[in-house]
Coordinates of all heavy atoms in Angstrom, one line a residue:
M1 N -32.0 -5.5 -8.4 CA -30.6 -5.2 -8.7 C -30.3 -3.8 -8.3 O -31.0 -2.9 -8.7 CB -30.3 -5.5 -10.1 CG -28.8 -5.2 -10.5 SD -28.3 -5.4 -12.2 CE -29.3 -6.6 -12.9
G2 N -29.2 -3.5 -7.6 CA -28.9 -2.2 -7.2 C -27.7 -1.7 -8.1 O -27.2 -2.4 -8.9
V3 N -27.5 -0.4 -8.0 CA -26.3 0.2 -8.8 C -25.5 0.9 -7.8 O -25.9 1.7 -6.9 CB -26.8 1.2 -9.8 CG1 -25.7 1.9 -10.5 CG2 -27.7 0.6 -10.8
I4 N -24.2 0.6 -7.8 CA -23.2 1.2 -6.9 C -22.4 2.2 -7.6 O -22.0 2.0 -8.8 CB -22.3 0.1 -6.2 CG1 -21.5 -0.6 -7.3 CG2 -23.1 -0.9 -5.4 CD1 -20.4 -1.5 -6.7
G5 N -22.1 3.2 -6.9 CA -21.2 4.3 -7.5 C -21.7 4.9 -8.7 O -21.8 4.3 -9.7
R6 N -21.9 6.2 -8.7 CA -22.4 6.9 -9.9 C -21.4 6.8 -11.0 O -21.7 6.7 -12.2 CB -22.7 8.4 -9.6 CG -23.9 8.5 -8.7 CD -24.1 10.0 -8.4 NE -25.2 10.1 -7.4 CZ -26.4 10.6 -7.7 NH1 -26.6 11.1 -8.8 NH2 -27.3 10.6 -6.7
K7 N -20.1 6.9 -10.7 CA -19.1 6.8 -11.7 C -18.9 5.4 -12.3 O -18.8 5.3 -13.5 CB -17.7 7.3 -11.2 CG -17.6 8.8 -11.0 CD -16.2 9.1 -10.5 CE -16.1 10.6 -10.3 NZ -14.8 11.0 -9.9
S8 N -18.9 4.4 -11.4 CA -18.7 3.1 -11.9 C -20.0 2.5 -12.6 O -19.9 1.8 -13.6 CB -18.3 2.1 -10.8 OG -19.4 2.0 -9.9
G9 N -21.2 2.8 -12.1 CA -22.4 2.3 -12.7 C -22.4 0.8 -12.7 O -23.1 0.2 -13.5
L10 N -21.7 0.1 -11.9 CA -21.6 -1.3 -11.9 C -22.9 -1.9 -11.2 O -23.1 -1.6 -10.1 CB -20.4 -1.8 -11.2 CG -19.0 -1.4 -11.8 CD1 -17.9 -1.8 -10.9 CD2 -18.9 -2.0 -13.2
P11 N -23.6 -2.8 -11.9 CA -24.8 -3.4 -11.2 C -24.3 -4.5 -10.3 O -23.4 -5.3 -10.6 CB -25.5 -4.0 -12.4 CG -24.5 -4.2 -13.5 CD -23.5 -3.2 -13.3
V12 N -24.9 -4.5 -9.1 CA -24.5 -5.5 -8.1 C -25.8 -6.0 -7.5 O -26.7 -5.2 -7.1 CB -23.6 -4.9 -7.0 CG1 -23.4 -5.9 -5.9 CG2 -22.3 -4.4 -7.6
E13 N -25.9 -7.3 -7.4 CA -27.1 -7.9 -6.8 C -26.8 -8.2 -5.4 O -25.7 -8.4 -5.0 CB -27.5 -9.1 -7.6 CG -28.0 -8.8 -9.0 CD -28.8 -9.9 -9.6 OE1 -29.3 -10.7 -8.9 OE2 -28.8 -9.9 -10.8
G14 N -27.9 -8.3 -4.6 CA -27.7 -8.7 -3.2 C -28.1 -7.6 -2.2 O -28.7 -6.6 -2.6
S15 N -27.9 -7.8 -1.0 CA -28.3 -6.9 0.1 C -27.5 -5.7 0.1 O -26.4 -5.6 -0.6 CB -28.1 -7.6 1.4 OG -26.7 -7.7 1.7
P16 N -27.9 -4.6 0.8 CA -27.1 -3.4 0.9 C -25.7 -3.7 1.4 O -24.7 -3.1 0.9 CB -27.9 -2.5 1.8 CG -29.3 -3.0 1.7 CD -29.2 -4.5 1.4
A17 N -25.5 -4.6 2.3 CA -24.2 -4.9 2.8 C -23.3 -5.5 1.7 O -22.2 -5.2 1.6 CB -24.3 -5.9 4.0
S18 N -23.9 -6.4 0.9 CA -23.1 -7.0 -0.2 C -22.8 -6.0 -1.2 O -21.7 -6.0 -1.8 CB -24.0 -8.1 -0.9 OG -24.3 -9.1 0.0
Q19 N -23.6 -5.0 -1.5 CA -23.3 -3.9 -2.4 C -22.2 -3.1 -1.9 O -21.4 -2.6 -2.6 CB -24.6 -3.1 -2.6 CG -25.7 -3.9 -3.4 CD -26.9 -3.1 -3.6 OE1 -27.0 -1.9 -3.3 NE2 -28.0 -3.7 -4.1
M20 N -22.2 -2.8 -0.5 CA -21.1 -2.0 0.1 C -19.8 -2.7 -0.1 O -18.8 -2.1 -0.4 CB -21.4 -1.7 1.5 CG -20.4 -0.8 2.1 SD -20.7 -0.4 3.9 CE -20.1 -1.9 4.6
V21 N -19.8 -4.0 0.2 CA -18.5 -4.8 0.0 C -18.0 -4.7 -1.4 O -16.8 -4.5 -1.7 CB -18.7 -6.3 0.4 CG1 -17.5 -7.1 0.0 CG2 -19.0 -6.4 1.9
A22 N -18.9 -4.8 -2.4 CA -18.6 -4.7 -3.8 C -18.0 -3.3 -4.1 O -17.0 -3.2 -4.9 CB -19.7 -5.0 -4.7
L23 N -18.6 -2.3 -3.6 CA -18.2 -0.9 -3.8 C -16.8 -0.7 -3.2 O -15.9 -0.2 -3.9 CB -19.1 0.1 -3.1 CG -18.8 1.5 -3.2 CD1 -18.9 2.0 -4.6 CD2 -19.7 2.3 -2.3
I24 N -16.5 -1.2 -2.0 CA -15.2 -1.1 -1.5 C -14.2 -1.8 -2.3 O -13.1 -1.3 -2.6 CB -15.1 -1.7 0.0 CG1 -16.0 -0.8 0.9 CG2 -13.7 -1.8 0.5 CD1 -16.2 -1.4 2.3
S25 N -14.5 -3.0 -2.8 CA -13.6 -3.8 -3.7 C -13.3 -3.1 -5.0 O -12.2 -3.1 -5.5 CB -14.2 -5.2 -3.9 OG -14.3 -5.9 -2.7
N26 N -14.4 -2.5 -5.6 CA -14.2 -1.9 -6.9 C -13.5 -0.5 -6.8 O -12.8 -0.1 -7.8 CB -15.6 -1.7 -7.5 CG -16.2 -3.0 -8.0 OD1 -15.4 -3.8 -8.5 ND2 -17.5 -3.1 -7.9
L27 N -13.6 0.2 -5.7 CA -13.0 1.5 -5.7 C -11.5 1.6 -5.2 O -10.9 2.6 -5.4 CB -13.8 2.4 -4.8 CG -15.2 2.8 -5.3 CD1 -16.0 3.7 -4.4 CD2 -15.1 3.4 -6.7
G28 N -11.1 0.5 -4.7 CA -9.7 0.5 -4.3 C -9.4 -0.3 -3.0 O -10.3 -0.6 -2.2
H29 N -8.1 -0.6 -2.8 CA -7.7 -1.3 -1.7 C -7.3 -0.4 -0.6 O -6.6 0.6 -0.8 CB -6.5 -2.2 -2.1 CG -5.9 -3.0 -1.0 ND1 -6.5 -4.0 -0.4 CD2 -4.7 -2.8 -0.3 CE1 -5.8 -4.5 0.6 NE2 -4.7 -3.8 0.7
N30 N -7.7 -0.7 0.6 CA -7.3 0.0 1.8 C -6.7 -1.0 2.8 O -7.4 -1.9 3.3 CB -8.6 0.7 2.4 CG -8.2 1.5 3.7 OD1 -7.2 1.3 4.3 ND2 -9.1 2.4 4.0
K31 N -5.4 -0.9 3.0 CA -4.8 -2.0 3.8 C -5.2 -1.9 5.3 O -4.9 -2.9 6.0 CB -3.3 -1.9 3.6 CG -2.6 -0.6 4.0 CD -1.2 -0.6 3.7 CE -0.6 0.8 3.7 NZ 0.8 0.8 3.3
D32 N -5.9 -0.9 5.7 CA -6.4 -0.9 7.1 C -7.7 -1.6 7.3 O -8.2 -1.8 8.4 CB -6.5 0.6 7.6 CG -5.2 1.3 7.6 OD1 -4.2 0.6 7.8 OD2 -5.2 2.5 7.5
V33 N -8.3 -2.0 6.2 CA -9.6 -2.6 6.2 C -9.5 -3.9 5.5 O -9.0 -4.0 4.4 CB -10.7 -1.7 5.6 CG1 -12.1 -2.5 5.5 CG2 -10.9 -0.4 6.4
T34 N -10.1 -5.0 6.1 CA -10.1 -6.3 5.4 C -11.5 -6.8 5.3 O -12.3 -6.5 6.2 CB -9.2 -7.4 6.1 OG1 -9.7 -7.5 7.5 CG2 -7.8 -6.9 6.2
I35 N -11.8 -7.6 4.3 CA -13.1 -8.2 4.1 C -12.9 -9.7 4.1 O -12.0 -10.2 3.4 CB -13.7 -7.8 2.8 CG1 -13.9 -6.3 2.7 CG2 -15.1 -8.5 2.6 CD1 -14.3 -5.7 1.4
E36 N -13.6 -10.4 5.0 CA -13.4 -11.8 5.3 C -14.7 -12.5 5.3 O -15.8 -11.9 5.5 CB -12.8 -12.0 6.7 CG -11.6 -11.2 7.0 CD -10.3 -11.8 6.4 OE1 -10.3 -13.0 5.9 OE2 -9.3 -11.1 6.3
I37 N -14.7 -13.8 5.0 CA -15.8 -14.7 5.2 C -15.5 -15.5 6.4 O -14.4 -16.1 6.5 CB -16.1 -15.6 4.0 CG1 -16.4 -14.8 2.7 CG2 -17.2 -16.6 4.3 CD1 -17.7 -14.1 2.7
A38 N -16.4 -15.6 7.4 CA -16.1 -16.3 8.6 C -17.2 -17.2 9.0 O -18.3 -17.1 8.4 CB -15.8 -15.3 9.8
L39 N -17.0 -18.1 10.0 CA -18.0 -19.1 10.4 C -18.5 -18.8 11.8 O -17.8 -18.6 12.7 CB -17.3 -20.5 10.4 CG -18.2 -21.7 10.7 CD1 -19.1 -21.9 9.5 CD2 -17.3 -22.9 10.9
V40 N -19.8 -18.8 11.9 CA -20.5 -18.6 13.2 C -20.3 -19.8 14.0 O -20.7 -20.9 13.5 CB -22.0 -18.2 13.0 CG1 -22.7 -18.1 14.4 CG2 -22.2 -16.9 12.2
T41 N -19.8 -19.7 15.2 CA -19.7 -20.9 16.1 C -20.7 -20.8 17.2 O -21.0 -21.9 17.8 CB -18.2 -21.0 16.6 OG1 -17.9 -19.8 17.4 CG2 -17.2 -21.2 15.5
A42 N -21.2 -19.7 17.5 CA -22.3 -19.5 18.5 C -23.2 -18.4 18.0 O -22.7 -17.3 17.7 CB -21.7 -19.2 19.9
P43 N -24.5 -18.5 18.1 CA -25.4 -17.5 17.6 C -25.6 -16.4 18.7 O -25.0 -16.4 19.8 CB -26.7 -18.2 17.4 CG -26.7 -19.4 18.4 CD -25.2 -19.7 18.5
L44 N -26.3 -15.3 18.3 CA -26.7 -14.3 19.2 C -27.4 -14.9 20.4 O -28.1 -15.9 20.2 CB -27.5 -13.2 18.5 CG -26.8 -12.4 17.5 CD1 -27.8 -11.7 16.6 CD2 -25.8 -11.5 18.1
P45 N -27.4 -14.3 21.6 CA -26.9 -13.0 21.9 C -25.4 -13.0 22.2 O -24.8 -11.9 22.2 CB -27.7 -12.6 23.1 CG -28.0 -13.9 23.8 CD -28.2 -14.9 22.7
D46 N -24.8 -14.1 22.4 CA -23.3 -14.1 22.7 C -22.6 -14.7 21.5 O -21.8 -15.7 21.6 CB -23.1 -15.0 23.9 CG -23.7 -14.4 25.2 OD1 -23.7 -13.2 25.3 OD2 -24.3 -15.2 26.0
M47 N -22.8 -14.1 20.3 CA -22.2 -14.6 19.1 C -20.7 -14.7 19.2 O -20.0 -13.9 19.8 CB -22.6 -13.6 17.9 CG -22.0 -14.0 16.6 SD -22.6 -13.0 15.3 CE -24.1 -13.8 14.8
K48 N -20.2 -15.8 18.6 CA -18.8 -16.1 18.4 C -18.6 -16.5 17.0 O -19.4 -17.2 16.4 CB -18.3 -17.2 19.3 CG -18.4 -16.8 20.8 CD -17.8 -17.8 21.7 CE -17.9 -17.3 23.1 NZ -17.2 -18.1 24.1
I49 N -17.5 -16.0 16.4 CA -17.2 -16.2 15.0 C -15.7 -16.7 14.9 O -14.8 -16.2 15.5 CB -17.4 -14.9 14.2 CG1 -18.9 -14.6 14.3 CG2 -16.9 -15.1 12.8 CD1 -19.2 -13.3 13.5
K50 N -15.6 -17.8 14.1 CA -14.2 -18.3 13.8 C -13.7 -17.7 12.6 O -14.3 -17.8 11.5 CB -14.3 -19.8 13.7 CG -13.0 -20.5 13.4 CD -13.2 -22.0 13.2 CE -11.9 -22.7 12.8 NZ -12.2 -24.2 12.6
L51 N -12.6 -17.1 12.7 CA -11.9 -16.4 11.5 C -10.7 -17.3 11.1 O -9.8 -17.6 12.0 CB -11.4 -15.0 11.9 CG -10.9 -14.2 10.8 CD1 -11.9 -14.0 9.7 CD2 -10.4 -12.8 11.4
T52 N -10.7 -17.8 9.9 CA -9.6 -18.6 9.4 C -8.6 -17.8 8.8 O -8.8 -16.9 8.0 CB -10.2 -19.6 8.3 OG1 -11.2 -20.3 8.9 CG2 -9.1 -20.5 7.9
T53 N -7.3 -17.9 9.3 CA -6.2 -17.1 8.9 C -5.4 -17.7 7.8 O -4.5 -17.1 7.3 CB -5.3 -16.8 10.1 OG1 -4.8 -18.0 10.6 CG2 -6.1 -16.1 11.2
G54 N -5.7 -19.0 7.5 CA -4.9 -19.6 6.5 C -3.7 -20.4 7.1 O -3.0 -21.2 6.4
S55 N -3.5 -20.2 8.3 CA -2.5 -21.0 9.0 C -3.2 -21.9 10.0 O -4.4 -22.0 10.1 CB -1.5 -20.1 9.8 OG -2.1 -19.5 10.8
E56 N -2.5 -22.6 10.8 CA -3.1 -23.5 11.8 C -3.7 -22.7 13.0 O -4.5 -23.2 13.8 CB -2.0 -24.5 12.4 CG -1.6 -25.5 11.4 CD -0.6 -26.4 12.0 OE1 -0.5 -26.5 13.2 OE2 0.2 -27.1 11.2
D57 N -3.4 -21.4 13.1 CA -3.8 -20.6 14.2 C -5.1 -19.8 13.9 O -5.1 -18.6 13.8 CB -2.7 -19.6 14.6 CG -1.5 -20.4 15.1 OD1 -1.7 -21.4 15.7 OD2 -0.4 -19.8 14.9
D58 N -6.2 -20.5 13.6 CA -7.5 -19.8 13.5 C -7.8 -19.2 14.8 O -7.4 -19.7 15.9 CB -8.6 -20.8 13.1 CG -8.4 -21.4 11.7 OD1 -7.6 -20.9 10.9 OD2 -9.0 -22.5 11.4
F59 N -8.6 -18.1 14.8 CA -9.0 -17.6 16.1 C -10.5 -17.3 16.2 O -11.1 -17.1 15.2 CB -8.1 -16.4 16.5 CG -8.2 -15.2 15.6 CD1 -9.0 -14.2 15.9 CD2 -7.3 -15.2 14.5 CE1 -9.0 -13.1 15.0 CE2 -7.4 -14.1 13.7 CZ -8.2 -13.0 13.9
I60 N -11.0 -17.3 17.4 CA -12.4 -17.0 17.7 C -12.6 -15.6 18.1 O -11.9 -15.1 19.0 CB -12.9 -18.0 18.8 CG1 -12.7 -19.4 18.4 CG2 -14.4 -17.7 19.1 CD1 -13.5 -19.9 17.2
L61 N -13.5 -14.9 17.4 CA -13.9 -13.5 17.8 C -15.1 -13.7 18.7 O -16.1 -14.3 18.3 CB -14.2 -12.7 16.6 CG -13.1 -12.6 15.6 CD1 -13.7 -12.0 14.3 CD2 -12.0 -11.7 16.1
D62 N -15.1 -13.0 19.9 CA -16.3 -13.1 20.7 C -17.1 -11.8 20.6 O -16.7 -10.9 19.9 CB -15.9 -13.4 22.2 CG -15.1 -12.4 22.9 OD1 -15.1 -11.2 22.4 OD2 -14.4 -12.8 23.8
R63 N -18.2 -11.7 21.3 CA -19.1 -10.6 21.1 C -18.4 -9.2 21.4 O -18.8 -8.2 20.7 CB -20.3 -10.8 22.1 CG -21.4 -9.8 22.0 CD -22.1 -9.8 20.7 NE -23.1 -8.8 20.5 CZ -23.0 -7.6 20.1 NH1 -21.8 -7.2 19.7 NH2 -24.0 -6.8 20.0
D64 N -17.4 -9.2 22.2 CA -16.8 -7.9 22.5 C -15.9 -7.4 21.3 O -15.6 -6.2 21.2 CB -15.8 -8.0 23.7 CG -16.6 -8.2 25.0 OD1 -17.8 -7.9 25.1 OD2 -16.0 -8.8 26.0
D65 N -15.6 -8.3 20.4 CA -14.8 -8.0 19.2 C -15.6 -7.5 18.0 O -15.1 -7.1 17.0 CB -14.0 -9.2 18.8 CG -13.0 -9.7 19.8 OD1 -12.4 -8.9 20.5 OD2 -12.9 -10.9 20.0
L66 N -17.0 -7.7 18.2 CA -17.9 -7.6 17.0 C -18.8 -6.4 17.1 O -19.3 -6.0 18.2 CB -18.7 -8.9 16.9 CG -18.0 -10.2 16.8 CD1 -19.0 -11.3 16.9 CD2 -17.2 -10.3 15.6
V67 N -19.1 -5.8 16.0 CA -20.1 -4.8 15.8 C -21.1 -5.5 14.8 O -20.7 -5.8 13.7 CB -19.6 -3.5 15.3 CG1 -20.8 -2.5 15.0 CG2 -18.6 -2.9 16.2
I68 N -22.3 -5.7 15.2 CA -23.2 -6.6 14.4 C -24.3 -5.7 13.8 O -25.0 -4.9 14.5 CB -23.9 -7.6 15.3 CG1 -22.8 -8.5 15.9 CG2 -24.8 -8.5 14.5 CD1 -23.2 -9.5 17.0
S69 N -24.5 -5.8 12.5 CA -25.5 -5.1 11.7 C -26.9 -5.5 12.1 O -27.1 -6.6 12.5 CB -25.2 -5.2 10.2 OG -25.6 -6.4 9.8
G70 N -27.8 -4.6 11.8 CA -29.2 -5.0 12.0 C -29.7 -6.1 11.1 O -30.5 -7.0 11.5
T71 N -29.1 -6.2 9.9 CA -29.4 -7.4 9.0 C -29.0 -8.7 9.7 O -29.8 -9.6 9.6 CB -28.6 -7.2 7.7 OG1 -28.9 -5.9 7.1 CG2 -28.9 -8.3 6.7
V72 N -27.9 -8.7 10.3 CA -27.4 -10.0 11.0 C -28.3 -10.2 12.2 O -28.6 -11.4 12.5 CB -25.9 -9.9 11.3 CG1 -25.5 -11.1 12.1 CG2 -25.1 -9.8 10.0
I73 N -28.6 -9.2 13.0 CA -29.4 -9.4 14.1 C -30.8 -10.0 13.7 O -31.3 -10.9 14.4 CB -29.6 -8.0 14.9 CG1 -28.3 -7.6 15.5 CG2 -30.7 -8.2 15.9 CD1 -28.3 -6.2 16.1
T74 N -31.4 -9.4 12.7 CA -32.6 -10.0 12.2 C -32.5 -11.4 11.7 O -33.4 -12.2 12.0 CB -33.2 -9.1 11.0 OG1 -33.3 -7.7 11.5 CG2 -34.5 -9.6 10.5
A75 N -31.5 -11.7 11.0 CA -31.3 -13.1 10.5 C -30.9 -14.1 11.5 O -31.2 -15.2 11.4 CB -30.2 -13.1 9.4
N76 N -30.2 -13.6 12.6 CA -29.7 -14.4 13.7 C -29.2 -15.8 13.2 O -29.7 -16.8 13.4 CB -30.8 -14.7 14.7 CG -30.2 -15.2 16.0 OD1 -29.0 -15.2 16.2 ND2 -31.0 -15.7 16.9
P77 N -28.1 -15.7 12.4 CA -27.5 -16.9 11.8 C -27.1 -18.0 12.8 O -26.5 -17.6 13.8 CB -26.3 -16.4 11.0 CG -26.0 -15.1 11.5 CD -27.2 -14.5 12.1
P78 N -27.5 -19.2 12.6 CA -27.2 -20.3 13.6 C -25.7 -20.7 13.4 O -25.0 -20.3 12.5 CB -28.1 -21.4 13.2 CG -28.3 -21.2 11.7 CD -28.3 -19.7 11.5
A79 N -25.2 -21.4 14.4 CA -23.9 -22.0 14.3 C -23.7 -22.8 13.0 O -24.6 -23.5 12.6 CB -23.6 -22.9 15.5
G80 N -22.6 -22.6 12.4 CA -22.3 -23.2 11.1 C -22.6 -22.4 9.9 O -22.2 -22.7 8.8
S81 N -23.2 -21.2 10.1 CA -23.5 -20.3 9.0 C -22.2 -19.4 8.7 O -21.4 -19.2 9.6 CB -24.6 -19.3 9.4 OG -25.8 -20.0 9.6
K82 N -22.1 -19.0 7.5 CA -21.1 -18.1 7.1 C -21.6 -16.6 7.1 O -22.7 -16.4 6.8 CB -20.6 -18.4 5.7 CG -19.9 -19.7 5.6 CD -19.5 -20.0 4.2 CE -18.8 -21.4 4.1 NZ -18.5 -21.7 2.7
V83 N -20.7 -15.7 7.5 CA -21.0 -14.3 7.6 C -19.9 -13.5 6.9 O -18.7 -14.0 6.8 CB -21.2 -13.8 9.0 CG1 -22.5 -14.4 9.6 CG2 -20.0 -14.1 9.9
I84 N -20.2 -12.3 6.4 CA -19.2 -11.4 5.9 C -18.8 -10.4 7.0 O -19.6 -9.8 7.6 CB -19.9 -10.6 4.7 CG1 -20.4 -11.5 3.6 CG2 -18.9 -9.5 4.1 CD1 -21.3 -10.8 2.6
L85 N -17.5 -10.3 7.1 CA -16.9 -9.5 8.1 C -16.1 -8.4 7.5 O -15.4 -8.7 6.5 CB -15.9 -10.2 9.0 CG -16.4 -11.3 10.0 CD1 -15.2 -11.9 10.7 CD2 -17.4 -10.8 10.9
I86 N -16.1 -7.2 8.0 CA -15.1 -6.2 7.6 C -14.3 -5.9 8.9 O -14.8 -5.5 9.9 CB -15.8 -4.9 7.2 CG1 -16.7 -5.2 5.9 CG2 -14.8 -3.8 6.9 CD1 -17.4 -4.0 5.4
G87 N -13.0 -6.1 8.8 CA -12.1 -5.9 9.9 C -11.5 -4.5 9.8 O -11.0 -4.1 8.7
D88 N -11.4 -3.8 10.9 CA -10.8 -2.5 10.9 C -9.6 -2.5 11.8 O -9.7 -2.7 13.0 CB -11.8 -1.5 11.5 CG -11.3 0.0 11.6 OD1 -10.2 0.2 11.2 OD2 -12.1 0.8 12.0
D89 N -8.4 -2.4 11.2 CA -7.2 -2.5 12.0 C -7.0 -1.4 13.0 O -6.4 -1.5 14.0 CB -6.0 -2.5 11.0 CG -5.8 -3.8 10.2 OD1 -6.5 -4.8 10.6 OD2 -5.1 -3.8 9.3
D90 N -7.6 -0.2 12.7 CA -7.4 1.0 13.6 C -8.2 0.7 14.9 O -7.7 1.1 16.0 CB -8.0 2.2 12.9 CG -7.1 2.7 11.8 OD1 -5.9 2.4 11.8 OD2 -7.6 3.5 10.9
T91 N -9.3 0.1 14.9 CA -10.1 -0.1 16.1 C -10.0 -1.6 16.6 O -10.5 -1.8 17.7 CB -11.6 0.2 15.9 OG1 -12.1 -0.7 14.9 CG2 -11.7 1.7 15.4
S92 N -9.5 -2.5 15.8 CA -9.4 -3.9 16.2 C -10.8 -4.5 16.3 O -11.0 -5.4 17.1 CB -8.6 -4.1 17.4 OG -7.3 -3.7 17.2
K93 N -11.8 -3.9 15.7 CA -13.2 -4.4 15.7 C -13.5 -5.0 14.3 O -12.9 -4.7 13.3 CB -14.2 -3.2 15.9 CG -14.2 -2.7 17.3 CD -14.9 -3.6 18.2 CE -15.0 -2.9 19.6 NZ -15.7 -3.8 20.5
F94 N -14.4 -6.0 14.4 CA -14.9 -6.6 13.2 C -16.4 -6.3 13.1 O -17.1 -6.6 14.0 CB -14.6 -8.1 13.3 CG -13.2 -8.5 13.1 CD1 -12.3 -8.4 14.2 CD2 -12.7 -8.9 11.9 CE1 -11.0 -8.8 14.1 CE2 -11.3 -9.2 11.7 CZ -10.5 -9.1 12.8
F95 N -16.8 -5.9 11.9 CA -18.1 -5.5 11.6 C -18.8 -6.7 10.9 O -18.4 -7.0 9.8 CB -18.2 -4.2 10.8 CG -17.6 -3.0 11.5 CD1 -16.2 -2.8 11.4 CD2 -18.4 -2.2 12.2 CE1 -15.7 -1.7 12.1 CE2 -17.9 -1.1 12.9 CZ -16.5 -0.9 12.8
V96 N -19.8 -7.3 11.5 CA -20.5 -8.4 10.9 C -21.6 -7.8 10.1 O -22.6 -7.3 10.6 CB -21.1 -9.4 12.0 CG1 -21.6 -10.6 11.4 CG2 -20.0 -9.7 13.0
M97 N -21.4 -7.9 8.7 CA -22.3 -7.1 7.8 C -23.5 -7.9 7.3 O -24.6 -7.3 7.1 CB -21.5 -6.6 6.6 CG -20.3 -5.7 7.0 SD -20.8 -4.3 8.0 CE -21.9 -3.5 6.9
D98 N -23.3 -9.2 7.0 CA -24.4 -9.9 6.4 C -24.1 -11.4 6.4 O -22.9 -11.8 6.8 CB -24.5 -9.5 4.9 CG -25.9 -9.7 4.3 OD1 -26.7 -10.4 4.9 OD2 -26.2 -9.2 3.2
T99 N -25.1 -12.2 6.1 CA -24.8 -13.6 6.0 C -24.2 -13.9 4.6 O -24.4 -13.1 3.7 CB -26.1 -14.5 6.2 OG1 -27.1 -14.0 5.2 CG2 -26.6 -14.3 7.6
A100 N -23.5 -15.0 4.4 CA -22.9 -15.4 3.1 C -23.4 -16.8 2.8 O -23.6 -17.6 3.7 CB -21.4 -15.3 3.2
N101 N -23.4 -17.1 1.5 CA -23.8 -18.4 1.0 C -22.6 -19.2 0.7 O -21.6 -18.7 0.3 CB -24.7 -18.3 -0.2 CG -26.1 -17.7 0.2 OD1 -26.6 -17.9 1.3 ND2 -26.6 -17.0 -0.7

């Protein structure tokens, strides 16, 4: 079990990426950054990820849209796996942080 934030002292279990997501959630909302759960439709090296928007217009992110963490590269999640994404509105990039259950 890890501990995030010296002030919060909130215990969070999981990988470093999961702890970072919890830290962002606990410290405040930033409307330029979104945290999403998405579905892998094609594995590395040409990873594609389906992002569900809640409407009929889901969209596919291809490798050019993604920055992939070492954790995800090591895990190489197969098609059908869920991953945690952090979307950055300023750069229009999505950071694939970890796998999700």
Side-chain angles (χ1 to χ4, degrees):
M1 178 182 333
V3 176
I4 61 169
R6 291 180 187 246
K7 288 184 179 180
S8 68
L10 298 173
V12 174
E13 296 199 22
S15 70
S18 298
Q19 292 176 11
M20 186 180 77
V21 169
L23 179 64
I24 292 168
S25 296
N26 288 325
L27 292 179
H29 175 70
N30 182 338
K31 58 186 165 185
D32 295 335
V33 174
T34 58
I35 300 171
E36 309 281 346
I37 301 291
L39 186 70
V40 175
T41 59
L44 291 167
D46 298 318
M47 182 175 267
K48 292 186 181 186
I49 295 178
K50 179 180 177 182
L51 186 59
T52 303
T53 62
S55 68
E56 293 181 17
D57 298 327
D58 296 342
F59 60 97
I60 302 293
L61 302 169
D62 62 25
R63 184 64 181 91
D64 293 337
D65 302 316
L66 305 172
V67 176
I68 302 172
S69 74
T71 303
V72 173
I73 291 172
T74 301
N76 194 12
S81 298
K82 293 179 182 177
V83 291
I84 301 169
L85 295 180
I86 297 178
D88 181 0
D89 289 346
D90 289 339
T91 64
S92 298
K93 289 284 187 181
F94 288 84
F95 298 86
V96 188
M97 300 305 298
D98 204 351
T99 57
N101 293 324

